[in-house]
Amino acid sequence: MSVTVETPLQAGPLLKEKKQGELKSLHKLKAGNRHSDFEARTLTLKITELIDIKNIQEHARTVQPFKASKHQPLISGSVSKEAAIATHAALHIDLTPEKEKKIREMYDRLDADNDGSIDIRDLTQALSSQTPHIPAAMAPKLLAKMKREDSDRVTYADFTNYVIAHEARLAEVFDQIDSNRDGEVDVSEIKSYCKEMGVNLDDHKALSIVKKMDQSGSSSVNLNEFQDFMLLYPSTDMREMVDFWRHNLIIDIGEDGQVPEDFTPQELQSGVWWRHLVAGGVAGAMSRTCTAPFDRIKVYLQVNSTKTNKLGVVSCVHLLHAEGGLKSFWRGNGINVIKIAPESAMKFMSYDQIKRWIQEYKGGAELTTYERLFAGSSAGAISQTAIYPMEVMKTRLALRRTGQLDRGMIHFAHKMYDKEGIRCFYKGYLPNLLGIIPYAGIDLTVYETLKSCYTKYYTEHTEPGVLALLACGTCSSTCGQLASYPLALVRTRLQARAISPKNSTQPDTMIGQFKHILQNEGFTGLYRGITPNFMKVIPAVSISYVVYEKVRKQLGATMS
């Protein structure tokens, strides 16, 4: 790197006089703060680099010619990172040594490539690895808050200015939350302030927020803990911060879809809710379509595989391909995708209404986890009742042979009605209804348990990262399926009984089916076809998450 050197025409008194004059100018800069950081840094460099003309040969040995680089520095000179930081720190004469050391340590952690400045890559990497409670998607907004308008990088001076200003604003926010002015924010104060912002939290959720901020184990949060936790969140608007706590510290990705997401009154009025529902619908459609072959193989094995007619995944693939070709693996997927919209809408409306009834009964208090689970399961039961005929149609279409849908889906449904009556559209309804509660309950319980174990084991993380959350969601979903799968198997056999010659002599009731399977196939018979079901879990969860995030951002449904 090159040095910009102010070389006087002569040494001696003139040099001394010029240096004293510039020192006075520097003191004015510090006191008045009327000039830019650029002017202060340039002037400081001039003072430190003034040399005697007689010693120019010795200084010339350290000078390198100008050269182009990927990131052009603000001042071109042979100034190390340490010297630059020392120069910037000197401009903040009000910083204590402890505070300066703390800012320096944070700056070094964020400067991932150690090039003396912070760019978008550094911030994204730091948020992902060091502060998982703040989404890496916030990096562009955080960078915009830290940097100057004419730069795309953050210098040490920029970062110091950001920290000082942001901590001052966070101190004001802390004072607003700390209603009793004891210097500590506890669960009741978090609940009270969030309620003022239009977000009702129960004790469990408020305690979850406090635990993530609390570093001392005191069950309360002091100013330093609050500032440390929120320092890299690029806003001090309380409405945004409360939404951030709620969405990122309470509602977690991976929670079962049987329990819908809560929306505040403000989100309902602003239209954010429908954007989330649309994003979820698109994600569900994409996920179901991509994993449809696994689903068709599962249904085929559930109906046709028995103790005497053992079929595996590979043999089933050969049979289905020989009968209908590659396209046959997507039979039944069309109606499986179509039913997403009415099911999601019905579930959302029912869940909201049931929550209102419970809150009215409790006098306006927020729902507990178990009450929320009850409301979600009830909403799931209502929505399943409304769209269950489409569920039966999906099973029948997945098992149909080539040529049986030549006249369209409506004609196919009409033939079912003519032959079996209206009751055929609710075959297997009871085991389907009973399967909702264990699936949703176990999924939610296991998810919360795994997440809690993760944070206890990895104490350096206050919240699991995206991959950890996806892993927790996958494991919890698998456990939920294990618990409810026998009911799903019986449901499918009852739905397909009328079109399956092998099953036509089997009982037409849920209890009868359970007895028949246990007597003829043993306990393992209750888990026929579970292998392809497990095979689709990881791709289904991953595709749903990625598509949901992409669509949500495109629709402007920001997850604060």
Side-chain angles (χ1 to χ4, degrees):
M1 299 172 67
S2 305
V3 176
T4 302
V5 180
E6 289 282 325
T7 306
L9 295 176
Q10 58 181 3
L14 184 59
L15 174 63
K16 184 177 181 181
E17 182 180 345
K18 182 175 181 180
K19 189 167 184 178
Q20 288 175 342
E22 290 184 327
L23 280 169
K24 291 178 181 179
S25 298
L26 179 61
H27 290 309
K28 289 180 180 180
L29 278 175
K30 293 178 182 177
N33 195 26
R34 296 170 185 158
H35 297 269
S36 67
D37 290 340
F38 176 81
E39 293 172 312
R41 287 193 296 269
T42 304
L43 188 54
T44 304
L45 191 58
K46 286 180 181 179
I47 295 169
T48 57
E49 295 294 337
L50 282 170
I51 59 172
D52 193 292
I53 193 69
K54 296 177 181 179
N55 298 323
I56 190 66
Q57 293 294 334
E58 180 180 345
H59 184 78
R61 296 190 186 95
T62 66
V63 177
Q64 298 177 4
F66 284 96
K67 59 183 180 180
S69 65
K70 185 176 181 181
H71 304 291
Q72 291 292 340
L74 189 61
I75 300 177
S76 185
S78 56
V79 180
S80 66
K81 176 180 176 181
E82 298 295 330
I85 290 177
T87 301
H88 297 321
L91 298 177
H92 296 278
I93 55 177
D94 55 334
L95 290 180
T96 63
E98 293 79 12
K99 186 67 177 178
E100 187 179 323
K101 180 183 177 183
K102 181 180 177 182
I103 294 175
R104 170 62 192 276
E105 289 174 349
M106 284 191 294
Y107 185 78
D108 285 342
R109 288 201 303 270
L110 294 177
D111 182 15
D113 54 12
N114 199 34
D115 66 349
S117 62
I118 300 170
D119 59 15
I120 187 65
R121 290 167 297 181
D122 293 330
L123 274 183
T124 303
Q125 182 178 338
L127 291 181
S128 299
S129 60
Q130 300 178 32
T131 56
H133 64 279
I134 297 179
M138 303 295 289
K141 189 175 181 180
L142 179 59
L143 182 70
K145 287 282 186 180
M146 289 182 175
K147 71 180 183 66
R148 297 185 307 279
E149 291 184 3
D150 59 345
S151 175
D152 61 351
R153 303 174 71 81
V154 179
T155 64
Y156 182 79
D158 298 332
F159 183 71
T160 303
N161 291 334
Y162 169 82
V163 171
I164 293 172
H166 203 60
E167 285 189 341
R169 289 191 292 269
L170 287 172
E172 295 175 2
V173 172
F174 184 86
D175 288 339
Q176 294 178 45
I177 303 175
D178 183 20
S179 56
N180 60 6
R181 299 293 185 268
D182 64 348
E184 300 278 340
V185 169
D186 57 21
V187 171
S188 62
E189 288 171 322
I190 288 285
K191 281 181 60 180
S192 176
Y193 201 86
C194 287
K195 188 173 183 179
E196 290 179 21
M197 294 293 108
V199 176
N200 291 318
L201 303 179
D202 58 23
D203 290 338
H204 175 73
K205 293 177 182 178
L207 181 61
S208 174
I209 294 173
V210 170
K211 280 183 176 179
K212 287 173 174 62
M213 296 187 189
D214 179 22
Q215 300 173 10
S216 61
S218 62
S219 298
S220 61
V221 181
N222 60 35
L223 176 59
N224 288 335
E225 291 170 335
F226 182 76
Q227 288 174 329
D228 288 346
F229 191 83
M230 298 300 299
L231 185 62
L232 296 181
Y233 181 72
S235 175
T236 51
D237 179 86
M238 272 311 301
R239 176 67 230 184
E240 291 185 14
M241 290 175 68
V242 168
D243 282 342
F244 161 72
W245 293 343
R246 175 176 165 270
H247 283 298
N248 290 278
L249 306 185
I250 300 170
I251 305 296
D252 299 287
I253 297 164
E255 188 172 311
D256 178 54
Q258 297 288 359
V259 183
E261 183 175 346
D262 293 283
F263 294 102
T264 66
Q266 290 83 355
E267 288 172 327
L268 291 171
Q269 292 173 6
S270 65
V272 169
W273 65 273
W274 72 260
R275 293 182 175 89
H276 283 280
L277 289 181
V278 170
V282 174
M286 186 65 71
S287 174
R288 292 183 187 193
T289 301
C290 292
T291 59
F294 295 108
D295 206 48
R296 195 187 176 210
I297 294 169
K298 177 196 74 174
V299 171
Y300 192 88
L301 291 175
Q302 284 178 331
V303 175
N304 295 296
S305 179
T306 62
K307 193 172 185 178
T308 57
N309 182 37
K310 290 185 178 180
L311 292 173
V313 175
V314 176
S315 58
C316 184
V317 169
H318 287 308
L319 283 171
L320 295 177
H321 185 268
E323 193 277 326
L326 189 62
K327 289 175 62 177
S328 68
F329 288 98
W330 276 266
R331 285 180 185 169
N333 181 62
I335 197 166
N336 198 31
V337 170
I338 291 171
K339 72 185 181 72
I340 291 175
E343 184 179 11
S344 298
M346 185 72 68
K347 188 187 297 181
F348 171 72
M349 291 186 292
S350 302
Y351 179 63
D352 188 62
Q353 187 59 51
I354 294 169
K355 277 200 313 176
R356 291 175 188 272
W357 289 339
I358 296 175
Q359 286 178 323
E360 287 175 8
Y361 179 77
K362 295 177 64 178
E366 181 62 17
L367 272 66
T368 64
T369 301
Y370 294 108
E371 289 167 341
R372 185 167 171 266
L373 176 61
F374 169 77
S377 298
S378 301
I382 293 170
S383 64
Q384 279 289 302
T385 302
I387 60 93
Y388 192 76
M390 301 176 77
E391 192 74 40
V392 176
M393 285 278 291
K394 185 202 81 170
T395 300
R396 296 285 184 95
L397 290 169
L399 293 170
R400 72 177 176 87
R401 299 183 68 82
T402 303
Q404 291 182 340
L405 196 64
D406 290 346
R407 298 178 64 181
M409 194 180 298
I410 296 177
H411 180 261
F412 187 86
H414 193 266
K415 282 178 61 179
M416 287 175 57
Y417 174 75
D418 288 341
K419 187 176 180 180
E420 305 171 55
I422 192 67
R423 291 182 60 186
C424 74
F425 292 103
Y426 281 90
K427 293 287 185 181
Y429 173 74
L430 183 59
N432 181 72
L433 200 62
L434 294 176
I436 292 175
I437 297 173
Y439 183 88
I442 292 173
D443 188 15
L444 183 59
T445 303
V446 172
Y447 179 78
E448 291 296 336
T449 303
L450 289 174
K451 198 176 69 163
S452 176
C453 291
Y454 180 93
T455 53
K456 286 180 182 178
Y457 185 77
Y458 295 99
T459 53
E460 68 273 16
H461 296 303
T462 56
E463 182 71 9
V466 170
L467 290 177
L469 288 176
L470 285 176
C472 292
T474 302
C475 293
S476 62
S477 177
T478 302
C479 292
Q481 287 184 44
L482 280 171
S484 63
Y485 192 83
L487 288 164
L489 175 77
V490 170
R491 177 201 66 193
T492 303
R493 289 199 174 183
L494 289 173
Q495 289 172 343
R497 180 176 172 274
I499 62 170
S500 177
K502 296 178 181 178
N503 299 332
S504 58
T505 59
Q506 293 181 7
D508 196 21
T509 63
M510 180 183 72
I511 296 176
Q513 278 285 342
F514 272 116
K515 288 181 177 178
H516 176 82
I517 293 170
L518 289 172
Q519 288 173 0
N520 294 277
E521 303 177 48
F523 181 77
T524 56
L526 295 172
Y527 288 89
R528 298 285 181 197
I530 199 169
T531 302
N533 211 46
F534 282 158
M535 292 170 67
K536 80 171 187 178
V537 169
I538 294 177
V541 171
S542 303
I543 293 168
S544 293
Y545 173 76
V546 172
V547 176
Y548 176 82
E549 286 296 302
K550 294 289 184 182
V551 176
R552 177 180 63 77
K553 291 174 184 176
Q554 288 294 322
L555 292 175
T558 56
M559 190 73 80
S560 303

